[in-house]
Amino acid sequence: SQNGSVRFEAVAGRAKPGAELTVRILDGGRAAATGTVAFDGSRAWLELRVDNPRRWSPETPNLYDVEYE
């Protein structure tokens, strides 16, 4: 089994105290990974892992969608 690791950084100019960032990685509409983290000042960092990621190649052009909230 291989895992795919993806790191996210968000910058919010006016993040309110207690504000959170939720990120979802979608594979064909299905959640492959989801995480939530609180902002530290105006920034948030999050690392997600996708189990058994489908890799992109010219023969199999697999793409994932990402949703931020």
Side-chain angles (χ1 to χ4, degrees):
S1 156
Q2 294 181 343
N3 292 319
S5 180
V6 184
R7 292 183 187 144
F8 298 92
E9 178 181 0
V11 177
R14 297 181 185 175
K16 295 179 181 178
E20 293 183 329
L21 170 69
T22 298
V23 178
R24 282 181 286 288
I25 299 175
L26 304 172
D27 181 10
R30 181 187 62 83
T34 302
T36 301
V37 65
F39 275 85
D40 182 6
S42 63
R43 294 183 181 269
W45 296 269
L46 180 63
E47 183 172 341
L48 296 177
R49 291 184 156 287
V50 175
D51 292 330
N52 300 311
R54 296 183 312 131
R55 296 181 183 205
W56 189 95
S57 74
E59 294 78 28
T60 56
N62 299 311
L63 296 176
Y64 291 85
D65 293 312
V66 177
E67 292 181 345
Y68 296 90
E69 185 179 323

